[in-house]
C-alpha cells in the first residue's frame, strides 16, 4: 500500500481548510473504493489539527477509510510543565496517528538535534503514533550521503532496537529538492531509498518500514517515483495545499499501481 503524506508546513487558514476538507470528504471515499492502493495522511499546523479532525470526521476516525491525520512535530515530553509543547497524547485525542519528525526545516531553522529526536520518537512509540522520520543530504553533502544518512537515522534506529515491532516511516527528502521545483530523478531517489533500506535491514525488525520520497513532488512526477521498486510513498509539501492537486497525485499513483499489477 502506497502512502501519500501531505505536509502543510506553516500554511493554511480556516476558509482554506474548509474548502480542502470539503473536497476530500466528497471525493476521497469513492476514489479509495474504486482503487484502494493508496493511503493519505494530512499533517497540518498544530493549531488547525482539531479543525481538520472536525471537518474530516469519519475519514480520520475510521482506519479503513484510508485517510489519516498527523502532526508536523511532537513534544519530546509527555503531559506536564512544558510551555508551548503539543504532546502525543493530545494528538491522539484528535485522531492523530502520525507525526513528521526531524524535517530539514526543523533541523536547520529550529536546531532540532538527535537528542531531541530520540525523545520524540520514544514519545510517538509510547502513544502508538507512527513517526515519519525525515532524513536527506544537502547539495554539498551528495558525495558523503551514506555517512549523512547514518548520522541522521541514528536516533530512529536506536529507538527501534528497543521496539522492533513499532511502526515507522522514513522520509527521504534531499534538502536540495525541497520546495525548489528540482525534484530528484526517480533513479537517484531510488538509490537513496535502497541505501536507507540496507541500513534498516541491519537491525532486526519484525515490521517492515516504509521509505517515502519528498522534494518537489507534483501530479506530473508522482507516479514516476512510486513506480520505482524501493519507493513506498510520497511526502508532498506545496502540491498538497490544494485538494484537487493532492487528489490528482493519488489518482496518478493508483493508475500506475494498477498498470504494474497487470504486468
Ligand atoms: C517537504 O518539505 O516536506 C516537501 C516535500 O516540500 P515540497 O513538496 O514543497 O518540495
Amino acid at each position: 500500500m502506497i502512502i501519500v503524506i501531505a505536509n502543510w508546513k506553516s500554511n493554511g487558514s480556516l476558509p482554506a481548510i474548509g474548502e480542502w476538507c470539503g473536497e476530500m470528504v466528497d471525493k476521497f471515499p469513492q476514489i479509495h473504493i474504486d482503487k484502494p492502493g493508496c493511503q493519505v495522511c494530512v499533517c497540518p499546523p498544530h493549531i488547525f489539527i482539531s479543525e481538520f479532525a472536525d471537518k474530516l470526521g469519519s475519514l480520520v476516525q475510521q482506519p479503513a477509510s484510508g485517510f489519516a491525520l498527523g502532526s508536523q512535530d511532537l513534544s519530546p515530553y509527555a503531559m506536564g510543565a512544558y510551555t508551548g509543547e503539543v504532546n502525543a497524547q493530545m494528538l491522539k485525542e484528535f485522531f492523530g496517528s502520525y507525526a513528521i519528525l526531524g524535517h530539514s526545516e526543523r533541523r536547520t531553522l529550529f536546531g532540532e538535534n538527535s537528542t531531541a529526536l530520540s525523545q520524540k520518537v520514544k514519545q510517538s512509540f509510547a502513544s502508538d503514533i507512527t513517526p515519519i522520520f525525515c532524513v536527506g543530504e544537502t547539495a554539498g553533502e551528495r558525495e558523503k550521503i551514506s555517512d549523512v544518512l547514518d548520522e541522521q537515522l541514528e536516533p530512529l534506529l536506536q529507538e527501534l532496537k528497543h521496539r522492533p515491532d513499532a511502526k515507522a516511516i522514513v522520509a527521504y527528502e534531499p534538502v536540495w529538492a525541497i520546495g525548489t521545483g528540482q525534484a530528484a530523478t526517480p533513479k537517484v531517489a531510488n538509490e537513496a531509498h535502497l541505501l536507507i533500506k540496507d541500513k534498516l535491514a541491519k537491525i532486526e525488525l519484525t515490521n517492515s518500514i516504509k521509505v517515502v520520497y519528498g522534494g518537489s513532488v507534483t501530479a506530473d512526477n508522482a507516479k514516476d517515483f512510486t513506480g520505482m521498486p524501493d519507493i513506498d510513498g510520497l511526502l508532498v509539501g506545496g502540491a498538497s495545499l490544494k485538494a484537487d492537486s493532492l487528489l490528482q497525485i493519488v489518482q496518478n499513483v493508483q493508475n500506475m499501481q494498477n498498470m504494474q499489477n497487470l504486468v
Side-chain angles (χ1 to χ4, degrees):
M1 176 77 78
I2 296 283
I3 183 161
V4 175
I5 302 155
N7 177 12
W8 270 44
K9 309 196 185 194
S10 194
N11 291 299
S13 62
L14 291 175
I17 292 166
E19 211 176 297
W20 195 95
C21 293
E23 203 167 333
M24 282 297 158
V25 168
D26 275 357
K27 298 184 180 158
F28 185 79
Q30 197 55 48
I31 290 174
H32 190 63
I33 288 169
D34 290 346
K35 295 175 197 154
C38 189
Q39 288 170 273
V40 171
C41 169
V42 61
C43 300
H46 281 135
I47 198 163
F48 291 139
I49 288 175
S50 75
E51 188 69 12
F52 270 83
D54 185 44
K55 294 262 177 328
L56 292 169
S58 61
L59 260 194
V60 291
Q61 290 166 24
Q62 295 166 2
S65 71
F67 205 102
L69 187 56
S71 66
Q72 298 171 18
D73 190 19
L74 208 57
S75 176
Y77 302 105
M79 209 67 88
Y82 306 105
T83 303
E85 291 294 292
V86 173
N87 66 52
Q89 280 168 274
M90 295 169 177
L91 181 59
K92 291 291 275 191
E93 286 197 47
F94 294 97
F95 307 99
S97 48
Y98 291 84
I100 297 175
L101 297 182
H103 190 282
S104 66
E105 287 154 12
R106 297 219 57 84
R107 290 177 191 266
T108 53
L109 301 173
F110 303 98
E112 188 116 280
N113 61 25
S114 292
T115 313
L117 282 169
S118 298
Q119 280 299 115
K120 291 179 181 193
V121 171
K122 210 177 269 172
Q123 289 297 327
S124 67
F125 286 166
S127 289
D128 201 22
I129 284 173
T130 304
I132 301 161
F133 194 87
C134 302
V135 295
E137 80 290 358
T138 62
E141 292 169 336
R142 286 284 306 142
E143 296 296 305
K144 49 171 185 167
I145 180 170
S146 181
D147 293 342
V148 172
L149 294 177
D150 275 337
E151 195 186 326
Q152 292 177 338
L153 282 169
E154 187 62 13
L156 177 68
L157 299 192
Q158 285 306 328
E159 292 309 317
L160 280 171
K161 279 181 190 159
H162 307 298
R163 301 284 302 258
D165 57 339
K167 284 190 226 142
I169 292 176
V170 174
Y172 170 63
E173 296 208 301
V175 178
W176 44 271
I178 297 177
T180 58
Q182 304 288 318
T185 63
K187 183 171 173 286
V188 162
N190 198 69
E191 279 164 8
H193 281 228
L194 207 49
L195 200 56
I196 292 167
K197 287 188 174 178
D198 280 347
K199 294 178 192 303
L200 292 171
K202 291 200 178 113
I203 56 170
E204 282 178 29
L205 300 170
T206 38
N207 253 3
S208 69
I209 303 223
K210 283 188 162 79
V211 183
V212 305
Y213 168 77
S216 297
V217 171
T218 62
D220 289 337
N221 63 19
K223 66 175 184 341
D224 302 332
F225 289 109
T226 56
M228 299 302 282
D230 295 295
I231 300 185
D232 309 316
L234 301 166
L235 178 49
V236 188
S240 72
L241 293 172
K242 291 270 178 257
D244 58 354
S245 135
L246 187 67
L247 287 169
Q248 195 56 60
I249 290 175
V250 169
Q251 283 176 300
N252 292 352
V253 165
Q254 286 171 326
N255 289 340
M256 170 60 111
Q257 273 199 295
N258 279 13
M259 270 165 54
Q260 284 179 326
N261 290 341
L262 287 175
V263 233

